[in-house]
Amino acid sequence: MLILIDHADPAAIEDTLSYLPVDGVTTNPTILARHGGNPLATLKRIKEILPYGSQLHAQLVSTRTEDMVKEAAALREVLGEAIFVKVPVTRQGYAAMPLLKQRGFLITATGIHSAMQGFMAAKAGCRYIAPYVNRMDNFGISGVRVAEDMHKMLRTQGIQADVLAASFKNSEQVLELVRAGIGAITAAPDVLAHLVGNPATEMAIAEQNQDFAQLIGSSKTWAELVEDENFPD
Ligand code: G3P
């Protein structure tokens, strides 16, 4: 299962990369606007800081099919062959998907709010299909359930695509999809941090280290103990 960062701030991305096993970055126009500045420069910077082999997803903003194909080609020119172009599941987007696939693009279908939208995008040649989990929850539809349905549909039908679940607001939504065996998720740095952060862990480790400090002296570690030949047996 891939874990991606849904963000465009290079500092926040670097911070997440420094401690979590993540596989790349997804962006969308809103995320890039939130970061500000030249969005192309931002994508180039993100590409620079990502380890070799990581994924980078950038969303097309054209609304006409032919323009989407041109826009994807322009992005590929600057960001390289490995770029994933995110294509909205609009009528024009569906029409663009097979054209992009024929041209060798890696495609992520985005803006998905139903299982059939995702299924049709996978059938049209997308490598990933991205359901908006939390946004569906906000409409009273279980986003997690829809993402699980999509995953089952792909496997049952033998389609070579994966669910890339997006739009998370809490770590419980992510956990349920990990359990379901979903192919990939993308979430903001704060949601990813909550996947591993737990105050009870901090407390337990602090308490153990305090006990050890009482035994060998504060601020000392095994390294000092190994060096200190005079420490009593
Ligand atoms: O990148 C698409 C998706 O993550 C949108 O998330 O937070 O705007 O619902 P959000």
Side-chain angles (χ1 to χ4, degrees):
M1 174 174 176
L2 299 183
I3 305 276
L4 304 169
I5 309 171
D6 205 20
H7 217 262
D9 175 16
I13 291 167
E14 275 185 305
D15 181 57
T16 305
L17 286 170
S18 73
Y19 77 104
L20 284 180
V22 293
D23 303 287
V25 166
T26 56
T27 61
N28 67 36
T30 300
I31 285 173
L32 286 161
R34 224 175 263 149
H35 177 62
N38 178 335
L40 187 58
T42 304
L43 288 177
K44 285 185 193 168
R45 177 73 192 122
I46 294 171
K47 191 178 172 221
E48 274 168 17
I49 62 180
L50 281 173
Y52 180 76
S54 303
Q55 293 189 358
L56 177 60
H57 298 235
Q59 188 166 327
L60 305 180
V61 294
S62 298
T63 51
R64 294 174 62 236
T65 302
E66 315 82 80
D67 296 341
M68 286 180 186
V69 176
K70 281 187 207 152
E71 200 186 358
L75 271 183
R76 182 159 70 178
E77 191 72 27
V78 179
L79 297 169
E81 296 282 322
I83 187 77
F84 281 80
V85 289
K86 289 175 70 181
V87 180
V89 289
T90 56
R91 188 182 168 110
Q92 295 76 13
Y94 280 115
M97 288 166 192
L99 301 177
L100 291 166
K101 173 82 176 166
Q102 282 160 19
R103 289 160 177 76
F105 284 95
L106 296 162
I107 316 161
T108 297
T110 194
I112 295 173
H113 288 77
S114 77
M116 277 317 293
Q117 282 183 324
F119 179 75
M120 293 304 259
K123 197 166 152 50
C126 294
R127 172 67 186 85
Y128 291 105
I129 52 177
Y132 282 10
V133 173
N134 198 66
R135 289 191 187 219
M136 281 189 266
D137 284 355
N138 291 341
F139 285 121
I141 303 160
S142 167
V144 165
R145 176 88 171 273
V146 171
E148 286 174 358
D149 281 351
M150 283 170 41
H151 177 68
K152 280 186 209 144
M153 281 169 148
L154 295 177
R155 295 292 89 90
T156 309
Q157 297 283 341
I159 295 181
Q160 295 295 308
D162 279 300
V163 173
L164 194 182
S167 175
F168 290 102
K169 289 295 165 280
N170 62 65
S171 54
E172 180 61 24
Q173 293 166 327
V174 178
L175 172 64
E176 287 198 48
L177 293 178
V178 175
R179 271 196 207 112
I182 238 87
I185 65 105
T186 185
D190 61 326
V191 174
L192 295 177
H194 282 110
L195 297 181
V196 293
N198 190 319
T201 301
E202 307 284 336
M203 276 168 58
I205 300 301
E207 198 181 296
Q208 290 167 350
N209 285 345
Q210 261 171 27
D211 291 342
F212 199 67
Q214 277 180 6
L215 177 66
I216 69 161
S218 64
S219 311
K220 282 193 174 172
T221 68
W222 289 108
E224 281 89 30
L225 196 57
V226 168
E227 292 293 312
D228 186 357
E229 288 167 2
N230 298 321
F231 196 85
D233 286 334

